[in-house]
C-alpha cells in the first residue's frame, strides 16, 4: 500500500515541525504549508490523503480553506488544529465538514490516533460502493442489527424509542468521529430542528441509562464537552 500523504497547514514553525516529525516517524509522507496560499497550491499539486488544518493563519481564515478544500474534494479528511480560546470556531469547523479536531496543546499520541481514525474512515468509504449498508454494527458488548431493527447488550434486547434508535445508528455509522449537537439535531429533526440541544441531551441520557453506561467512564458514547458526542474507535 502506498504511503498516505498528510498536508500540514500551520503558521507556527515549531508546531509545524513537531507535527511533521510525528507524522513522518509514523510512516506517512508530510507536506508543509505555513500559510493559506501555500496550502491552496499544495492541496492541488500534492493530492494529500488528509489535512491537518490550523484555523488561525496569517493570510486567511482556516475556515475559508476548509470550505474550499471540501468543495474541491468532499471526501478529503480534515482535522482541525485549534487553540483552546477558539472553541466556537472548532464547532463551526465540524459543522462545515471537518472530520475531527485536536486542541492545542496536544500530545503526539492523541494526534496520531486522530489521524489513524480519519484515514481508516476515508479508506473504508473509498473501498465501498455508496450504498453498501453492512447491516450489523458491533461495539464491545453492543450489537445493532439494522435489518432486524434490534439492539442487544450482552445478548439482551434493549428497547429504544425511534429517535433513540436513530441517534445510536448515527453514532455507529460515524464511529470514532465526533458528531456535533447541531449536526445530530439536523439529522434527527431536519427542518423542525429544536431551539437548543436540551431534547438531544435528554435522549442521550435515556440511551445511556438503557446501555448501563457509567458516567465516569462511558464505553459506548463519550461526551465531547461543548461540542457533541463520539462513539470511541476500537483500540488498535
Ligand atoms: Ca496559527
Amino acid at each position: 500500500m502506498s504511503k498516505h500523504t498528510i498536508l500540514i497547514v500551520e503558521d507556527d514553525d515549531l508546531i509545524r515541525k513537531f507535527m511533521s516529525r510525528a507524522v513522518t516517524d509514523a510512516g506517512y509522507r508530510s507536506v508543509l504549508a505555513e500559510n493559506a496560499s501555500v496550502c491552496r497550491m499544495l492541496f492541488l499539486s500534492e493530492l494529500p490523503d488528509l489535512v491537518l488544518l490550523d484555523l488561525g493563519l496569517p493570510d486567511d481564515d482556516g475556515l475559508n480553506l476548509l470550505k474550499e478544500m471540501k468543495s474541491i474534494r468532499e471526501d478529503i479528511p480534515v482535522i482541525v488544529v485549534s487553540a483552546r480560546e477558539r472553541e466556537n470556531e472548532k464547532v463551526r469547523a465540524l459543522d462545515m465538514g471537518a472530520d475531527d479536531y485536536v486542541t492545542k496543546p496536544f500530545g503526539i499520541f492523541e494526534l496520531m490516533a486522530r489521524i489513524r481514525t480519519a484515514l481508516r474512515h476515508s479508506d473504508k468509504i473509498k473501498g465501498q460502493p455508496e450504498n453498501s449498508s453492512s447491516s450489523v454494527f458491533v461495539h464491545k458488548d453492543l450489537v445493532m442489527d439494522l435489518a432486524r431493527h434490534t439492539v442487544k447488550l450482552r445478548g439482551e434486547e434493549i428497547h429504544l424509542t425511534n429517535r433513540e434508535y436513530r441517534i445510536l445508528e448515527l453514532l455507529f455509522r460515524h464511529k470514532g468521529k465526533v458528531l456535533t449537537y447541531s449536526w445530530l439535531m439536523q439529522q434527527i429533526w431536519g427542518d423542525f430542528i429544536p431551539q437548543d440541544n436540551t431534547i438531544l441531551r435528554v435522549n442521550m441520557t435515556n440511551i445511556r441509562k438503557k446501555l448501563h453506561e457509567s458516567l465516569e467512564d462511558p464505553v459506548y458514547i463519550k461526551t465531547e464537552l461543548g461540542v457533541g458526542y463520539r462513539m470511541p474507535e476500537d483500540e488498535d
Side-chain angles (χ1 to χ4, degrees):
M1 203 172 138
S2 65
K3 265 188 188 180
H4 284 112
T5 297
I6 297 181
L7 171 57
I8 299 171
V9 190
E10 168 65 68
D11 61 318
D12 184 304
D13 289 341
L14 281 177
I15 299 176
R16 193 174 62 249
K17 279 175 193 151
F18 166 80
M19 289 200 283
S20 175
R21 177 76 191 275
V23 158
T24 44
D25 281 354
Y28 303 109
R29 190 171 83 92
S30 74
V31 284
L32 308 178
E34 70 276 21
N35 58 41
S37 62
V38 176
C39 168
R40 287 190 175 96
M41 214 166 61
L42 293 178
F43 183 73
L44 296 175
S45 63
E46 298 289 336
L47 295 175
D49 297 291
L50 180 142
V51 181
L52 294 174
L53 178 65
D54 175 29
L55 293 179
L57 295 167
D59 54 341
D60 201 351
D61 189 333
L63 290 175
N64 292 334
L65 279 179
L66 171 65
K67 207 188 293 176
E68 285 171 37
M69 291 191 287
K70 285 282 179 180
S71 72
I72 298 169
R73 282 172 57 196
E74 199 193 343
D75 60 342
I76 180 77
V78 178
I79 299 175
V80 162
V81 180
S82 80
R84 203 167 289 282
E85 61 272 18
R86 292 170 162 259
E87 289 286 304
N88 292 338
E89 274 190 345
K90 185 167 81 184
V91 177
R92 275 185 65 203
L94 289 166
D95 284 335
M96 283 168 63
D99 296 78
D100 210 339
Y101 67 89
V102 287
T103 305
K104 293 175 191 169
F106 52 84
I108 294 260
F109 290 111
E110 188 191 357
L111 180 68
M112 297 323 296
R114 295 279 193 265
I115 290 175
R116 276 198 305 275
T117 297
L119 284 174
R120 189 155 45 211
H121 273 271
S122 88
D123 286 348
K124 212 159 51 183
I125 289 161
K126 275 183 214 150
Q128 273 177 0
E130 186 82 345
N131 284 324
S132 87
S133 50
S134 85
S135 68
V136 179
F137 296 122
V138 182
H139 182 57
K140 306 234 157 93
D141 295 327
L142 186 64
V143 180
M144 183 171 209
D145 187 329
L146 296 182
R148 294 197 168 83
H149 204 82
T150 56
V151 178
K152 288 184 177 171
L153 182 67
R154 282 176 221 100
E156 293 270 321
E157 187 155 359
I158 305 269
H159 296 280
L160 300 178
T161 66
N162 283 336
R163 193 179 282 156
E164 290 162 3
Y165 184 90
R166 180 87 181 103
I167 292 171
L168 189 64
E169 182 187 343
L170 288 167
L171 286 160
F172 261 118
R173 283 194 187 282
H174 302 276
K175 193 171 172 180
K177 188 176 165 175
V178 58
L179 306 180
T180 64
Y181 298 120
S182 62
W183 186 87
L184 272 168
M185 293 200 294
Q186 182 69 48
Q187 298 296 311
I188 306 284
W189 285 278
D191 293 341
F192 304 98
I193 192 162
Q195 293 285 325
D196 61 32
N197 56 34
T198 313
I199 307 180
L200 179 62
R201 286 165 188 266
V202 170
N203 276 291
M204 209 55 92
T205 305
N206 290 336
I207 297 172
R208 283 171 157 161
K209 262 186 219 150
K210 291 178 183 181
L211 300 184
H212 307 293
E213 282 273 62
S214 92
L215 282 176
E216 304 77 44
D217 188 22
V219 177
Y220 301 106
I221 306 171
K222 305 249 187 213
T223 297
E224 301 278 327
L225 264 186
V227 178
Y229 303 98
R230 182 200 306 265
M231 180 178 284
E233 189 77 66
D234 300 319
E235 277 77 27
D236 291 347

